[in-house]
Amino acid sequence: MSRARQPPLVTGISPNEGAPWTKVTIRGENLGTGPNDLIGLSICGHNCLLTAEWMSASKIVCRVGPAKDDKGEIIVTTRSGGQGTSTVSFKLLKPERIGILDQSAVWLDELNYYDMRTDRNKGISPLSLRPANPLGIEIDKGNVPLKDLENMFPSMSGDFTSENFSATWYLIENHSSTSFEQLRAAVVNLKKQASKKNEGSLAYVKGGLSTFFEAQDALAAIHQKLESDGTEKVEGSMTQRLENVLNRASETADTLFQEVLGRKDKADSTRNALNVLQRFKFLFNLPLNIERNIQKGDYDVVINDYEKAKSLFGNTEVPVFKKVYSEVETRIEALRKLLLDKLLETPSTLHDQKRYIRYLSDLHAPGDPAWQCIVAQHKWILQLMQNCKEDLIKEQKGTHTLGGVSLELDRSSALNRISLSAPVKRGGSFQTPKDDSWHYKSPQQVRFVEKLSDVVISQLPNFWKLWISYVNGSLFSETGEKSGQVEKLKKNARQRQNDFKGMIEEVTRRLVQLVRGALLPSSLTEQQLRQYGGWDTKTPLSGAWLTQVIHTVRLSHEALSALEIPNDLLQVIQDLLQDLRVHCLLTTLQHTEEDVKRLAEKEDWVVDNEGITSLPAQFEQCMVQMLQSLKEPMECKPGEINVQIFTRHSSSADYMERNQFYVCLSFCSQIFNLDVVQDKLLCVCLFWLINCQYLERHTFLSLAEHLEKNGFTTAEKIIRVSIEALRQLDEYLFETYIEKKSDPIVGSLEPGIYAGYFDWKDCLPPTGVRSYLKEALVSIISVHAEVFTVSKELVSRVLSKIIEAIAEEMSRLMQCVSSFSKNGALQARLEICALRDAIELYLTSESLASFKQALEALPQLQSGADKKLLEELLNKFKSSMKLQLNCFKPASFQPVKR
């Protein structure tokens, strides 16, 4: 079916461009037969039928809606002609933001403006909605602090919307480095903006000219109608009737739409509330989010959210915001308390302590959490040290079983880690056992020092590092605090340096006093002993265990020195080391002396080929072990004093030096306990004489090498004095042996001479050497055999002394005779010469002098017959005693097989 009319055709639109809601006039052909014939109108794809006003078949007036397309056709649809076409297009411009004071020909929705850039959530006045860059040039923020600008321009402001606006302030703040040419360009921009503003009113009038005309026509028609009626003020006039009609229409409208409008207002209120909740959901959800993040331990998230909320709503005046923000502050206060409790909780790591301190600093916690943590750690370390002592004392008294694993040092303890990473050579033969039962075998005092040192080494470094971080401000450098706040905290830390120094001194002093109470109780006062003593000291520690203690204390000192703790704070540990070293030296020497004294009990009197027993070797081994044990205490570490010249204990150095040979005297003095009077023990003296010779010629030379090797500068003097003491002992033993062996022989001479009432004045001619002299020679031979069996080197020394005693006795006996007969003189000369010739090999100057004196006491032989008889009798004696006298011959003439 063909249409009655042609399709609409749009041939023009005025204006052909504009912002949304711009009023336009559309012209064309076949635009409809009337308002009811117009069923569609779209501009740029947006339906504008609602605002369309049909004027004629060639003219339609409407307003452009907010279309999606920037440019499009104008399509008119009528009942009579259907959908039309367009030969022109309309360009939709993006609307400019219209300020609250800007003129507009259309109605605008009121908006609640917030400037999120400047103050997060501070509602600002519409007057502050200004262009961000009024000068139209690039903004270059300077480095002038805001506080300085406030001091330079009191009561002024850099905000150009403020009543107290200062252009100089604005230029310094935003264009401090802008060139002069750019400022001149900014002046031109300002002038253009001013002229544009003046032209704005005229442009506004031009743009809304049609609206003004329509309003003017309507007012003129009403005015003409009223004038023609002439009854404006008469009751029942048209004006009055119109007013009544309007009032009734208003009342009817209110009645009809009251419920609808009420629901609309309620819906609008709900919608506004939901919009507020949606828009500020961060704040409303913040209390719950804080609670959840605290439970998860995400304290960084909590702090960031709190900082954001504080910047947005900290100074808000909106009641609902204030209420929610106060709840946030309540949760944050609880978090501050929680973090402070965690910070002061012990034990804790240095990482956790720094973390909690930074959290509290970010949350602006009152007081000084870092210093509170330092004080708590100081108390904790002191308590650990005291608990260590109390636990081990209770265990020592039997109240704790050996199952107390907590009392044992773990293999991964700080002390063991330091010992493995930086090993220190231990003096002495003591080696720490590697089996797990070592701690149960070691003395309680040694375990206590190990445990105490481990506590100090594991806790004090972190304590010192926490203080260093506190002083240099690194505890607060990652919190986002301003530099002024950090400097303030650092200043507070510097003011507390003396307090912290006192803490370190108290820890080191407590360490030293606890060790002294366990090992050196005599160095403490009675009051200090009551606090730091209480140990069972009935069984003193050996030098080996004291060496272990010295090694442990040295490790502790080295570990603390590595932290760069001032030396004056560690001097008390150095003093303790000196006292421990001296005590270890004295104890080692005393124990060595006791060990040497007990060597005699181990003597089995088994001799080797040289006649040496095992005692010299045991003595040397004991002395070498002592020197090795003294190596650690004698070693002088950096900062320590040489104990050999240690003047604090004036008697100690002398004792230590003399004791090297004093133990030798103690060793040799054991012979005094032997019953040398008994004949069966006389051979022991020979063994000791051989041992003394061996000690002098071999052992002491070896000890001299060990002394020099272990750093004894007075080794030569020590050996010299020791040898002198040894020689005194050797002389005593020798004289004792000679006395016990020579006395029976010497004592038998006089009874033998005068046996049978022999008289030198009246005797028979001599027929040979009498028996008493032969018995004396046999006794001498028995001594020779006894000594030769032990050591042939002693034969000459022993027999020479015995013969001296016999010669002296013979000389005395001859000098005591008042007169000799001829036969008596010959008999006496025969016996003296026979004795002298038999032992000629062992004659000394003293014995020769004695024999000479004896012969001089005799009358001289006058006749040759007497001399001949004397020679014959001597030869007869030597022939008959040849076998016995062979032992008195040189060794080259009498080989002896052993």
Side-chain angles (χ1 to χ4, degrees):
M1 182 179 70
S2 61
R3 296 182 181 272
R5 297 181 63 85
Q6 294 294 326
L9 176 64
V10 178
T11 58
I13 185 171
S14 178
N16 60 359
E17 63 179 9
W21 308 115
T22 301
K23 188 175 182 180
V24 296
T25 301
I26 301 172
R27 299 185 182 275
E29 301 175 359
N30 303 320
L31 298 182
T33 59
N36 295 330
D37 191 41
L38 182 64
I39 60 174
L41 174 62
S42 64
I43 301 177
C44 297
H46 184 268
N47 188 3
C48 301
L49 182 61
L50 185 62
T51 61
E53 184 180 357
W54 185 86
M55 305 299 292
S56 65
S58 60
K59 178 180 178 182
I60 298 175
V61 178
C62 70
R63 292 187 179 273
V64 180
K68 295 181 180 180
D69 299 331
D70 293 340
K71 188 175 183 180
E73 296 180 342
I74 301 92
I75 303 300
V76 178
T77 303
T78 61
R79 296 180 187 275
S80 58
Q83 184 174 345
T85 58
S86 173
T87 60
V88 296
S89 62
F90 182 83
K91 183 178 182 181
L92 186 66
L93 303 178
K94 292 184 179 180
E96 295 183 1
R97 185 171 182 178
I98 300 175
I100 195 170
L101 298 182
D102 294 338
Q103 298 174 347
S104 176
V106 297
W107 181 261
L108 297 176
D109 290 335
E110 295 182 356
L111 300 176
N112 185 15
Y113 295 98
Y114 289 90
D115 189 349
M116 303 302 292
R117 295 171 300 170
T118 57
D119 201 4
R120 305 283 173 112
N121 191 33
K122 290 184 179 180
I124 62 172
S125 169
L127 292 174
S128 63
L129 294 175
R130 70 280 188 184
N133 187 6
L135 297 182
I137 60 176
E138 183 179 358
I139 295 178
D140 185 8
K141 291 286 185 179
N143 296 325
V144 182
L146 181 61
K147 186 177 294 184
D148 293 345
L149 291 173
E150 292 176 350
N151 294 333
M152 294 170 59
F153 305 99
S155 304
M156 304 299 288
S157 173
D159 185 0
F160 52 79
T161 61
S162 174
E163 295 180 358
N164 300 324
F165 172 68
S166 172
T168 306
W169 181 334
Y170 179 82
L171 290 176
I172 292 176
E173 182 179 9
N174 297 284
H175 300 283
S176 58
S177 58
T178 303
S179 64
F180 183 72
E181 293 298 328
Q182 290 178 320
L183 292 177
R184 291 181 62 181
V187 173
V188 174
N189 293 336
L190 284 176
K191 290 181 178 179
K192 289 181 178 179
Q193 292 180 18
S195 61
K196 184 177 180 181
K197 186 175 181 180
N198 294 332
E199 296 174 357
S201 299
L202 180 60
Y204 163 72
V205 173
K206 290 181 179 179
L209 189 60
S210 60
T211 304
F212 290 132
F213 289 158
E214 293 175 359
Q216 177 65 25
D217 293 342
L219 290 175
I222 293 173
H223 180 70
Q224 183 179 3
K225 183 64 175 174
L226 291 175
E227 284 183 346
S228 63
D229 186 52
T231 58
E232 296 90 346
K233 299 180 181 180
V234 179
E235 184 69 25
S237 64
M238 182 188 71
T239 305
Q240 187 65 40
R241 292 196 304 271
L242 180 60
E243 181 180 0
N244 294 335
V245 170
L246 291 175
N247 289 334
R248 287 195 302 272
S250 175
E251 292 175 359
T252 303
D254 290 342
T255 303
L256 292 175
F257 296 99
Q258 184 174 7
E259 183 180 356
V260 176
L261 294 176
R263 289 198 301 269
K264 180 179 180 299
D265 292 340
K266 186 176 181 181
D268 290 342
S269 299
T270 304
R271 188 180 302 107
N272 291 335
L274 290 176
N275 289 336
V276 171
L277 289 175
Q278 180 64 26
R279 185 172 183 179
F280 301 102
K281 63 180 180 180
F282 164 74
L283 176 63
F284 293 110
N285 294 335
L286 187 57
L288 181 59
N289 290 336
I290 289 176
E291 193 69 28
R292 291 175 178 174
N293 290 325
I294 290 177
Q295 292 177 359
K296 292 189 295 184
D298 294 337
Y299 303 122
D300 290 311
V301 176
V302 174
I303 293 173
N304 291 335
D305 290 346
Y306 172 66
E307 288 293 332
K308 181 178 179 181
K310 185 177 181 180
S311 64
L312 294 175
F313 306 102
N315 298 323
T316 184
E317 297 297 331
V318 180
V320 64
F321 291 168
K322 292 177 66 175
K323 181 178 180 180
V324 177
Y325 184 74
S326 65
E327 186 177 351
V328 171
E329 286 288 357
T330 302
R331 303 290 176 90
I332 293 298
E333 184 61 31
L335 177 60
R336 292 192 187 104
K337 186 178 183 305
L338 174 64
L339 292 176
L340 184 60
D341 292 341
K342 287 182 174 292
L343 175 63
L344 302 181
E345 191 178 80
T346 53
S348 62
T349 63
L350 178 63
H351 173 73
D352 289 340
Q353 291 171 356
K354 289 184 176 181
R355 191 160 56 95
Y356 292 140
I357 290 173
R358 286 170 181 157
Y359 289 155
L360 290 169
S361 178
D362 290 346
L363 294 174
H364 309 285
D368 193 344
W371 180 250
Q372 290 178 273
C373 179
I374 291 175
V375 173
Q377 285 297 309
H378 174 247
K379 293 180 180 178
W380 166 248
I381 294 174
L382 294 179
Q383 187 61 44
L384 280 180
M385 297 169 69
Q386 194 66 25
N387 291 345
C388 178
K389 172 213 165 190
E390 294 175 357
D391 290 344
L392 285 171
I393 286 182
K394 289 178 182 179
E395 182 181 343
Q396 187 183 46
K397 293 179 180 180
T399 57
H400 281 194
T401 64
L402 289 178
V405 181
S406 61
L407 295 176
E408 300 302 330
L409 283 177
D410 186 24
R411 287 294 178 185
S412 61
S413 65
L415 187 63
N416 285 342
R417 290 195 300 271
I418 293 176
S419 180
L420 291 174
S421 61
V424 179
K425 294 183 178 179
R426 299 187 181 186
S429 60
F430 175 80
Q431 296 294 332
T432 303
K434 299 300 181 183
D435 57 289
D436 294 336
S437 62
W438 174 71
H439 288 296
Y440 299 105
K441 299 176 183 177
S442 61
Q444 294 287 354
Q445 291 95 324
V446 177
R447 296 173 58 198
F448 166 66
V449 175
E450 295 266 6
K451 181 80 172 177
L452 185 65
S453 300
D454 186 64
V455 168
V456 174
I457 292 176
S458 62
Q459 298 296 329
L460 201 57
N462 288 340
F463 184 61
W464 178 262
K465 292 175 183 177
L466 180 63
W467 164 255
I468 295 299
S469 300
Y470 179 54
V471 171
N472 60 28
S474 61
L475 279 178
F476 319 102
S477 62
E478 300 178 6
T479 61
E481 290 283 349
K482 294 183 179 180
S483 59
Q485 180 70 11
V486 174
E487 291 300 324
K488 181 179 179 181
L489 294 171
K490 290 169 63 177
K491 182 179 179 181
N492 293 339
R494 288 191 293 267
Q495 293 175 351
R496 292 192 169 107
Q497 284 185 346
N498 290 334
D499 296 335
F500 183 78
K501 182 178 179 181
M503 292 181 180
I504 296 294
E505 287 179 347
E506 186 175 1
V507 171
T508 53
R509 185 172 60 252
R510 181 71 59 86
L511 169 66
V512 169
Q513 289 173 339
L514 286 171
V515 175
R516 288 184 181 275
L519 302 175
L520 303 172
S522 59
S523 63
L524 299 179
T525 63
E526 293 184 3
Q527 182 178 359
Q528 290 174 334
L529 274 178
R530 286 193 294 270
Q531 184 177 0
Y532 305 111
W535 297 90
D536 182 10
T537 56
K538 295 179 181 178
T539 304
L541 294 180
S542 64
W545 288 118
L546 288 173
T547 299
Q548 172 68 8
V549 169
I550 292 173
H551 176 73
T552 300
V553 176
R554 274 178 170 164
L555 281 180
S556 302
H557 183 268
E558 291 173 3
L560 298 181
S561 299
L563 298 174
E564 299 182 356
I565 296 178
N567 291 331
D568 58 332
L569 300 180
L570 302 179
Q571 185 59 42
V572 289
I573 302 181
Q574 288 279 22
D575 296 340
L576 172 64
L577 276 172
Q578 295 295 346
D579 292 346
L580 286 174
R581 291 168 65 199
V582 172
H583 180 61
C584 180
L585 289 173
L586 298 179
T587 302
T588 302
L589 293 173
Q590 291 170 358
H591 288 179
T592 304
E593 176 185 349
E594 295 173 359
D595 293 341
V596 171
K597 287 181 179 180
R598 287 192 293 268
L599 289 179
E601 302 173 1
K602 304 176 182 179
E603 179 60 273
D604 54 6
W605 304 112
V606 176
V607 297
D608 57 10
N609 293 334
E610 298 180 0
I612 309 299
T613 67
S614 62
L615 276 182
Q618 294 180 8
F619 170 71
E620 182 177 0
Q621 181 182 7
C622 187
M623 294 295 293
V624 170
Q625 289 179 351
M626 179 197 70
L627 293 176
Q628 291 176 347
S629 298
L630 292 178
K631 186 175 182 180
E632 176 92 9
M634 290 291 292
E635 186 179 4
C636 189
K637 297 288 185 179
E640 296 179 357
I641 302 175
N642 192 337
V643 293
Q644 289 185 338
I645 56 174
F646 194 53
T647 57
R648 184 173 175 181
H649 299 276
S650 57
S651 62
S652 299
D654 297 336
Y655 181 81
M656 285 183 290
E657 188 172 307
R658 292 200 307 265
N659 237 15
Q660 306 301 321
F661 61 85
Y662 183 71
V663 290
C664 172
L665 293 178
S666 302
F667 161 74
C668 299
S669 67
Q670 298 307 306
I671 192 62
F672 300 154
N673 297 329
L674 301 176
D675 189 3
V676 295
V677 179
Q678 303 180 23
D679 291 340
K680 62 180 180 179
L681 295 178
L682 287 178
C683 63
V684 174
C685 290
L686 294 177
F687 294 145
W688 279 106
L689 289 172
I690 298 300
N691 287 341
C692 288
Q693 288 183 0
Y694 185 83
L695 285 170
E696 180 179 352
R697 297 175 184 176
H698 301 282
T699 303
F700 280 116
L701 295 179
S702 177
L703 288 178
E705 296 178 359
H706 286 289
L707 287 171
E708 293 178 357
K709 183 178 179 181
N710 287 276
F712 285 82
T713 57
T714 58
E716 181 180 354
K717 179 180 178 182
I718 293 173
I719 297 301
R720 184 178 70 251
V721 177
S722 299
I723 290 177
E724 291 176 0
L726 184 65
R727 288 175 178 173
Q728 293 176 5
L729 177 61
D730 177 83
E731 188 65 26
Y732 172 81
L733 294 173
F734 181 74
E735 291 177 357
T736 301
Y737 183 79
I738 295 300
E739 180 182 355
K740 298 304 178 182
K741 289 297 183 180
S742 63
D743 283 355
I745 301 174
V746 172
S748 67
L749 291 177
E750 186 173 1
I753 290 175
Y754 296 102
Y757 300 100
F758 179 82
D759 189 359
W760 296 109
K761 298 177 183 179
D762 184 14
C763 61
L764 297 175
T767 58
V769 177
R770 289 184 291 174
S771 299
Y772 83 92
L773 187 60
K774 295 179 181 180
E775 293 175 357
L777 286 173
V778 171
S779 297
I780 295 174
I781 291 172
S782 65
V783 174
H784 179 280
E786 181 179 291
V787 176
F788 191 87
T789 302
V790 176
S791 175
K792 60 183 180 180
E793 295 180 358
L794 286 176
V795 172
S796 176
R797 182 184 177 191
V798 172
L799 292 185
S800 297
K801 274 295 182 180
I802 293 178
I803 291 171
E804 285 180 2
I806 295 173
E808 183 180 358
E809 179 64 15
M810 291 296 291
S811 175
R812 184 188 68 81
L813 291 174
M814 294 301 105
Q815 291 177 6
C816 291
V817 178
S818 58
S819 63
F820 289 89
S821 65
K822 178 182 176 182
N823 292 334
L826 184 59
Q827 183 71 40
R829 189 175 292 275
L830 172 63
E831 293 175 351
I832 292 175
C833 290
L835 178 61
R836 183 192 64 186
D837 293 345
I839 57 177
E840 181 181 5
L841 184 63
Y842 304 105
L843 291 177
T844 63
S845 59
E846 288 81 1
S847 58
L848 286 173
S850 298
F851 281 122
K852 184 179 179 180
Q853 291 176 359
L855 292 174
E856 289 176 351
L858 301 176
Q860 298 294 324
L861 296 178
Q862 300 298 329
S863 64
D866 292 340
K867 295 181 179 179
K868 183 178 180 180
L869 178 60
L870 176 63
E871 184 176 352
E872 290 176 355
L873 292 175
L874 282 174
N875 291 333
K876 179 183 177 182
F877 167 75
K878 294 177 181 179
S879 175
S880 63
M881 296 284 291
K882 181 178 180 180
L883 180 63
Q884 289 81 359
L885 296 181
N886 276 337
C887 67
F888 297 129
K889 297 297 181 181
S892 60
F893 295 100
Q894 50 170 11
V896 178
K897 296 181 180 180
R898 298 183 60 187

